[in-house]
Amino acid sequence: MDLQEIIKACKRNNLKAQSQLYKRYKDDLYILCLKYCRNKEEAQDNLQDAFIDIFGKIKSYKGTGSFEGWMKRITIYKAIDKYKKTQPINIEINDAILEDTTVDNDIIEVIPLDDILSQIQELPTKYRMVFNLYELDEYSHKDIAKLLDISVNTSKSNLHRAKLILKQKILNI
């Protein structure tokens, strides 16, 4: 079945189509989950919860825009919802970001991707969420502030702190 047929069948709660959709996208969405979660187990839980939402909301998908993008948004929002439920939000405002957070690209190119992902997963949750949304998924600070119920300045500050931590970790690898 092609993707459009799978989507139509999933809207009819066809288990075979749901299985095909899961098999087709589980790896990509799992990698996305790993960016937002502390470990593989948490990422797997988030993936399962995301697919439950995807199957539950698939009837609302109108066919406009990228289906993959639609699923990715659900997956990211699921991780954000869990973050909001389990983490108190500490407001940190840093208007003057003075420290340099750049890392030489030659250093990054020799570090395996798994090591970089591991370093991102070890970031404190509030920093990891902002870092991933801004740097990896290209959300604006304004959008991040709305998603995480924080101020724009807090988003900027948390991104800066995440970069400082990652820079230190990368330099120590």
Side-chain angles (χ1 to χ4, degrees), residues 84-101:
K84 285 180 179 180
K85 288 177 185 175
T86 61
Q87 297 295 320
I89 305 269
N90 296 324
I91 297 178
E92 297 178 29
I93 298 176
N94 182 2
D95 289 328
I97 297 176
L98 303 174
E99 296 180 60
D100 179 27
T101 57

Side-chain angles (χ1 to χ4, degrees), residues 79 85 115 124 151:
K85 288 177 185 175
D115 289 347
S151 72

Side-chain angles (χ1 to χ4, degrees), residues 10-112:
C10 284
K11 287 181 177 185
R12 295 188 307 269
N13 294 319
N14 179 297
L15 294 177
K16 183 178 177 185
Q18 289 175 340
S19 177
Q20 287 180 342
L21 186 70
Y22 179 81
K23 288 176 184 173
R24 182 180 261 184
Y25 291 104
K26 68 177 173 68
D27 293 336
D28 290 341
L29 294 180
Y30 178 69
I31 291 169
L32 181 64
C33 290
L34 282 172
K35 293 189 313 187
Y36 288 92
C37 299
R38 282 238 174 256
N39 55 51
K40 292 177 181 178
E41 293 78 21
E42 189 178 311
Q44 188 64 38
D45 287 345
N46 194 76
L47 178 68
Q48 297 305 319
D49 291 344
F51 267 105
I52 289 169
D53 276 6
I54 288 167
F55 294 136
K57 296 177 181 181
I58 198 161
K59 290 179 183 175
S60 70
Y61 177 70
K62 304 294 183 204
T64 56
S66 162
F67 182 71
E68 293 86 356
W70 179 81
M71 289 192 307
K72 286 180 179 180
R73 276 190 303 283
I74 288 174
T75 304
I76 290 170
Y77 291 165
K78 183 56 68 179
I80 290 170
D81 287 345
K82 284 184 181 180
Y83 165 74
K84 285 180 179 180
K85 288 177 185 175
T86 61
Q87 297 295 320
I89 305 269
N90 296 324
I91 297 178
E92 297 178 29
I93 298 176
N94 182 2
D95 289 328
I97 297 176
L98 303 174
E99 296 180 60
D100 179 27
T101 57
T102 59
V103 176
D104 186 3
N105 283 339
D106 293 337
I107 294 171
I108 293 175
E109 289 175 4
V110 298
I111 300 172

